[in-house]
Amino acid sequence: MDYSSANTELWNSIFQIGIIAVTILVSNIFRRKISFMRRSLMPTAVIGGFLLLLMKLFGVISIDLNFMESLTYHCIAIGFIALSLRVPEKTEKESGDHAGLRSGAIIVGSYMIQGIAGLVISLGLAYTFMPGMFKAAGILLPLGFGQGPGQANNTGTTYETVWGFAGGRSFGLALAAMGYVCACVVGVIYMNVLVKKGKFRRIDHEMISGSVTVDSFQAKDEVPIAESLDRLSIQACLVIAVYLATYLITWGITSALTRFAPGIGNLVNGLLWGFNFIVGSALAIAMRSLLKALRGSKIITHQYQNNYLLSRISGLAFDVMIVAGIASIELEDLSGLWLPFVLMTAAGGIVTYFHLRFVCKRVYPNYFYEGFLSMYGMMTGTISSGVLLLRELDPQLETPAANNLVIGSSFAILFGIPMLVLIGLAPKSPVMTFVTLGCLIAYYFILVAVACKKRKKK
């Protein structure tokens, strides 16, 4: 075997991952040393993604777009599997006044209003100024803004390769990238307005994330540190084993549907592969329940999951996903899509702002500013950008706002199932695109009613 640089198959993946690693380190230095970047609250991974994108555009460095796309696809699944394997703590189980249920309705309601705005724009342009516009393109707005680069990448790729949306993948990733910018810009402006109004006093601090304590690093009955197999190796093996099971089960289901029910297969096969992180999350939860049952029956004596290390694995996966996703945007593919891109970006930020102000005042009356800002950060970026904005108002996370993001995301998986069906239906025909728009509007009002429903007094 040739171990030299001439063997590109041997060294390409190391070279590409090395580029991402160096970019993240440099971006972290920029964020820490440049006050403007630090105060903008832009996550380091997002800065790294834009930095790598600029270097690619100016020809400073060459990246493998296919590898970056694959990395984005796999990291989103690995990150969610690692999160789903975590053993729920007591604070994560408690949801007073149905906070988790109502937060989940808020999250998916935000998807709906973003999808409505996106489809109105894409349909409006398709029937007026841009007859060649892909009519279902607007459904990528909630995927980019509300769910991030991973889902926007997967669905955009499906729309591009299966349904003929030229530039669909780059369009979805560009929306996701601008979502982060919207989260940080609007979030910082909103906080400065609150400071001027005297609502709170901003503290210029550098938050330390992922602090290790005895409790968080070593839970009761966990595998001892002195075990022959490293604890991080156990976590990695659990995550990869679940991801392997995700592949095998998805392959089995799609193969069976293609053979015995081609009509249904054509409808759901692309969604199953595109949203494999949902299958992976479900299997991870099943694995977590199985390990708990085995411990209860004394078949195994230790808790094999370590929440701290699983959180670090998911954090690594999401950071790599963000950098690779933004860096792989092809601006040339957006050459005919700048008008819908600008309109959807502006509409996404505006409708999300007013939707969340309306519902958060009713759902989080005791901590409205914290609840609103954290939700806005998450619904235009990711949960990490929501927590970053929240920590400026609530540095010690004393309000339930951060917990609502976590618990609400679990309920959002259930509330979001109809959206998966609509994503598959929207591009099939102009009629189905209009049907999707009508379903989004109806479901939006249902979710708002669920979120804002007042609890009966005992």
Side-chain angles (χ1 to χ4, degrees), residues 320-351:
V320 172
M321 175 202 73
I322 291 169
V323 175
I326 296 176
S328 61
I329 295 173
E330 287 283 13
L331 293 183
E332 294 84 358
D333 293 343
L334 299 176
S335 58
L337 298 170
W338 285 109
L339 178 59
F341 171 70
V342 172
L343 291 177
M344 286 187 197
T345 300
I350 292 169
V351 299

Side-chain angles (χ1 to χ4, degrees), residues 1-16 64 67:
M1 183 178 180
D2 181 12
Y3 296 109
S4 71
S5 60
N7 189 344
T8 55
E9 291 185 2
L10 175 65
W11 288 105
N12 181 61
S13 57
I14 300 299
F15 180 73
Q16 299 298 322
D64 186 337
F67 181 83

Side-chain angles (χ1 to χ4, degrees), residues 22-32 44 47-49 51:
V22 173
T23 302
I24 291 176
L25 292 174
V26 172
S27 301
N28 187 57
I29 295 173
F30 284 170
R31 191 179 187 278
R32 289 181 60 86
T44 299
I47 297 174
L51 180 61

Side-chain angles (χ1 to χ4, degrees), residues 84-104:
S84 300
L85 281 171
R86 295 175 74 254
V87 178
E89 300 175 1
K90 291 182 179 180
T91 55
E92 295 177 356
K93 294 180 180 179
E94 297 170 355
S95 55
D97 198 19
H98 305 290
L101 178 70
R102 301 173 78 184
S103 297

